[in-house]
Structures are given as structure tokens and as C-alpha cells.
Amino acid sequence: MQHDAGDMQRKIINLPCCLFAPLSDDWIINVRGRAGNDGVTGTGQVVYGSEPRWETKLDLSGFGSDRVLTWRAISSQMRGRVNVLRVCVCDRHRTTWKKLGLPDPNKDGIPHSDGAGFSDGSTYRQDLTFVAPQTWTAGLSEIEFDPAQIANALQPGQYFSHNDWLYRVTGIFDDGAVTRYTFEPPLRRSIPAGDEVSLKATSLMVFETDLEGRMPLSMGKHGDTSISLLEWTNRP
């Protein structure tokens, strides 16, 4: 029996942000245009798709046996193009606490209210976020909010995400009363008032082919892999 991978129950697998830092990455919005008829001027026309998607190629380094073994487990769980990978956008130009001149609350970890961490020794993290002051409806390509929420941390060219839907800021316009942020692609889902939007952006991606993620080992147990990923756009 055949199944449509877009309709079946798909498992979401996290790619640990701190464990695999990409040697290189390339995030691009594929507008999925198609050629139309020639225009009256004789030039070709392009019809843009209604569902743009993010695509990327990550070159990952798996130095050391711990990361090699972890990647083997992750890539096996993916079952080729069946399951989904939650990927952090490792933006080297992302605003950090240090760039804002603020102390990093994650330096020593954030414990529970009783001062204890989790059973494995880990603690909470606090990432830069802002709160939607009103409901932003799907299809919008600009929003308004008070940038003081995030100490003006979000700049053109940087990323944000909500519920793993990824966006890139294209412009900031301040007329003194409100600050408007434009971005691409347009909102794929509505963002309810009061929801947090993260500057530590994430996206749900699938393998481009069933054979992504091979990690051959070289001398010294060193492993590298390259994976081509496509955004999961037909998610529930």
C-alpha cells in the first residue's frame, strides 16, 4: 500500500543545535515559479507558485565518535524522506545577548525555582523573543510591534520563527508612532495575540532524497556529511 508522505503521521526529530554546527549553510526561499507564455514584448513570463518554501544545504561536521553516533541515530530515524527534521537556523549574524550589551542569562544555566536542574544536569534556556501584540493573520508580509521588547535586536536579513515557520526580515520602517517590519515569505499561519515569536529561528525540514546524510569515516574517526533539505509546507 502506498501512502502520501504529506498526509501520513510523521515523526519530528530534533537536530541538536549545540551538537552539530554547520561548516556552511545556505537558506533560500524557492518561490517555485514556472514558465508562462511569452509576453507581448517577447520576453518570457514567470508564474509564481502559491506555496514558497525554504530550501537549504547543510555541511555538518561530526568530529568525534559521540557526534558520529548521534548522527547515525538521527539519520536512521528519518527513514529517508518519511520523517521530519527540526533544524535551528545557525545564523552567524544573529543578534546575541553580548551584542546587545546585556548579560547572558544562559551562561550559568537557568534552574527550576528550587535551584535544581533536570535529572540529566541540564537547565532551562532563555532566548530572545517578542510577543505578538495582536493577532497577525496568515498572508501578511508586514507586522507592527514595539522593538523595545527585544532591544531592537531584529534587523533586516535576520530570521525569526513561530511554531517552526521560518521568516526573514526584509525591511524596518519607523515613522515615530509605530515600527513596521516587512518579511518573506508571507505568514503561512496566523500568529495569535500573546504568542511568543523566537529570534532563535527553527524550521521543519525533510530530506530532499532518501539517501541524504551519509557520513563516511576518514582517518581518525572523523566524519562529515552534507544534507539537502526542503521545508515541510503541507504540514497540518
Side-chain angles (χ1 to χ4, degrees):
M1 180 181 296
Q2 293 183 337
H3 298 276
D4 181 350
D7 297 330
M8 66 190 300
Q9 185 67 33
R10 307 178 88 168
K11 182 178 179 181
I12 296 176
I13 300 153
N14 292 311
L15 180 66
C17 300
C18 58
L19 195 62
F20 292 96
L23 299 174
S24 64
D25 60 329
D26 177 24
W27 290 85
I28 189 168
I29 303 170
N30 184 348
V31 298
R32 302 164 85 176
R34 57 184 177 83
N37 297 325
D38 287 344
V40 294
T41 61
T43 58
Q45 295 180 327
V46 176
V47 178
Y48 292 99
S50 60
E51 193 73 34
R53 73 181 176 201
W54 287 96
E55 300 182 5
T56 189
K57 180 179 180 181
L58 303 182
D59 295 319
L60 302 178
S61 174
F63 295 99
S65 61
D66 56 340
R67 282 180 281 187
V68 170
L69 295 175
T70 298
W71 177 249
R72 285 179 179 173
I74 290 173
S75 60
S76 298
Q77 290 179 78
M78 288 295 290
R79 295 184 178 180
R81 291 171 290 172
V82 171
N83 287 323
V84 181
L85 199 63
R86 177 179 285 115
V87 180
C88 298
V89 180
C90 295
D91 184 7
R92 294 167 178 81
H93 302 287
R94 178 167 58 93
T95 301
T96 62
W97 295 103
K98 183 177 181 180
K99 289 180 181 178
L100 294 174
L102 299 173
D104 185 352
N106 304 302
K107 182 178 180 181
D108 299 316
I110 302 174
H112 295 289
S113 57
D114 62 359
F118 292 98
S119 59
D120 62 358
S122 62
T123 54
Y124 293 102
R125 285 190 55 84
Q126 180 179 337
D127 295 311
L128 283 167
T129 61
F130 63 90
V131 175
Q134 62 191 56
T135 296
W136 293 320
T137 57
L140 290 178
S141 56
E142 67 175 55
I143 55 178
E144 297 178 357
F145 69 93
D146 181 2
Q149 284 193 59
I150 50 173
N152 297 290
L154 191 58
Q155 300 297 320
Q158 293 179 333
Y159 300 90
F160 66 91
S161 66
H162 175 264
N163 195 26
D164 297 313
W165 290 108
L166 178 64
Y167 306 97
R168 182 188 285 151
V169 178
T170 58
I172 302 175
F173 305 91
D174 187 354
D175 63 7
V178 296
T179 301
R180 293 184 296 111
Y181 288 76
T182 58
F183 54 88
E184 290 292 338
L187 289 182
R188 272 75 70 76
R189 299 289 190 276
S190 296
I191 300 179
D195 268 25
E196 282 193 337
V197 180
S198 179
L199 273 63
K200 186 177 181 181
T202 57
S203 183
L204 297 182
M205 310 291 287
V206 296
F207 282 171
E208 184 173 14
T209 71
D210 288 327
L211 299 179
E212 301 291 339
R214 291 180 172 178
M215 182 178 278
L217 294 180
S218 58
M219 293 296 292
K221 299 182 180 179
H222 164 254
D224 295 314
T225 188
S226 294
I227 52 175
S228 295
L229 301 171
L230 309 175
E231 186 180 20
W232 182 25
T233 56
N234 61 337
R235 53 191 267 205

